[in-house]
Amino acid sequence: MANHKSALKRIRSNEAKRLRNRYQHKTTRTFIKRLRDATDKTEAQKLLGEVLGMVDKLAKNNIIHNNKAANLKSSLTKRVNAL
């Protein structure tokens, strides 16, 4: 266990960040699944804008890799346009 005050604070802040990242990532995955299951084009387009913003935010915060974000956005956009 850490002895320094700053190391203890780092442990606390790392845990808080880990939980926040986990929540955001899981929420985004849920929205992606909801978008993939959508059959109505207007509903899917509305949901697409929200999902793309969430994916961009994950990539910006290094929760997912930039290339993964780009691949996700591309595939989801193709799927919505095909409806």
Side-chain angles (χ1 to χ4, degrees):
M1 189 64 192
N3 293 322
H4 293 284
K5 200 171 186 180
S6 60
L8 294 171
K9 182 178 179 181
R10 175 62 71 189
I11 289 169
R12 288 194 310 269
S13 65
N14 282 345
E15 180 65 13
K17 288 174 188 174
R18 183 184 74 85
L19 292 174
R20 189 180 320 114
N21 290 342
R22 211 171 137 201
Y23 171 77
Q24 290 175 347
H25 196 186
K26 181 61 178 169
T27 305
T28 304
R29 286 199 307 259
T30 303
F31 272 78
I32 288 171
K33 286 175 190 169
R34 198 178 299 166
L35 177 61
R36 287 188 174 140
D37 293 340
T39 54
D40 182 30
K41 185 164 180 139
T42 56
E43 177 192 334
Q45 285 177 333
K46 190 175 93 170
L47 196 57
L48 179 66
E50 193 174 347
V51 170
L52 294 184
M54 294 169 88
V55 169
D56 281 336
K57 188 173 182 180
L58 291 180
K60 184 181 86 172
N61 294 331
N62 291 322
I63 299 172
I64 62 173
H65 196 274
N66 288 335
N67 290 351
K68 178 176 179 141
N71 290 338
L72 266 174
K73 287 163 54 177
S74 173
S75 66
L76 291 173
T77 305
K78 279 184 185 176
R79 183 181 287 265
V80 170
N81 287 338
L83 288 177

